[in-house]
Amino acid sequence: MHQNEDVEDNLLNWNDRAVVHANGGYGDLDAFADDPSALSSVTLRDLEVLKPHLPGHSIKGLHLLHLQCHIGSDTLSWWRLGARDVYGLDFSPTSLDYARKLSERAGASITYVQSDARCAADAMPEQKGSFDVIVTSCGTITWLPDLKDWARSIASLLADGGIFMIRDNHPLLFALNNEGMSIVQDYFGGTETTYETDQSYTSATDSLEDGTKPQITHTTNHNWAHDFQEISGALLDAGLTIEAIGEHNVDDWQSLPMLEYSPDLQGWIMPHNQPQIPLTFSMVARKKV
């Protein structure tokens, strides 16, 4: 019961975040929709992880599901890269409203489904065993209290031989303090932290139609740690085979205050005079034929 209440807090928070992100926080989304060549840097990094495991090193023609898709800019990028019959899933109805508007403006045929990622298979039973590729990335599983149902749902939705890819914040970051210099929390899976903030990981916002600035008024957040043993164990227990694990030194957002933005990499990196630690991880798993 307690976890359900915490997930509800997060849902209210992410409904607010969607308004912030869609009105300047993610840049000019109209321009992104109108440029058929525009692709998100998040998706391009995900694609580099996926490529070695795809037929012909390409996503073209593959049936794809994007879990925890938020407002759909990455989902649209997968469609533009050539994935077919693309689905996006998120628990926030506000996020999905913006995602649908973005895809409609871009002329993209994308199906959006509202659901907790742990219940994705129940939300689209007609798609069980059909997806060639399922992806999730960039700040996703820390919002899920547990991963057993999440992994089972992924396995149920994948076609035989289908690929699952996650690229997300490295589990180490969960244990660090806000300055990123000290271990202050338990690293191991199941650890929960609760905090209050009216800020998101983006700062720029435009005004809404009534002239006001979008704000986060539901300020309670709950995050859960998931270590490598928990993540890999959940996928293995669900019947998937892990093909690759990676650790990377580029993040999609400023997850630690000392990180510097690299225009060349289109991401955030640790300064050269600081100890180099992994900022993100990736894991690729396949459903057995």
Side-chain angles (χ1 to χ4, degrees), residues 117-122 148-158:
R118 296 172 296 168
C119 309
D122 293 332
K148 289 183 179 179
D149 289 338
W150 168 83
R152 292 189 191 112
S153 200
I154 290 165
S156 178
L157 287 165
L158 279 174

Side-chain angles (χ1 to χ4, degrees), residues 102-164:
L102 183 70
S103 64
E104 288 169 7
R105 181 171 179 126
S109 178
I110 298 172
T111 302
Y112 285 103
V113 177
Q114 184 183 341
S115 173
D116 186 310
R118 296 172 296 168
C119 309
D122 293 332
M124 50 177 84
E126 74 285 354
Q127 292 295 324
K128 287 183 178 180
S130 72
F131 287 103
D132 302 306
V133 179
I134 298 177
V135 296
T136 193
S137 111
C138 192
T140 54
I141 59 173
T142 192
W143 301 96
L144 303 178
D146 61 83
L147 300 182
K148 289 183 179 179
D149 289 338
W150 168 83
R152 292 189 191 112
S153 200
I154 290 165
S156 178
L157 287 165
L158 279 174
D160 290 346
I163 282 287
F164 168 68

Side-chain angles (χ1 to χ4, degrees), residues 266-281:
Q266 295 187 61
W268 296 84
I269 60 173
M270 188 71 76
H272 294 301
N273 63 349
Q274 295 279 355
Q276 299 298 302
I277 63 172
L279 300 174
T280 61
F281 82 96

Side-chain angles (χ1 to χ4, degrees), residues 8-19:
E8 183 63 26
D9 285 340
N10 288 342
L11 173 58
L12 295 173
N13 178 265
W14 276 94
N15 282 337
D16 287 351
R17 288 192 194 217
V19 180

Side-chain angles (χ1 to χ4, degrees), residues 78 115 187:
W78 287 116
S115 173
Y187 164 87

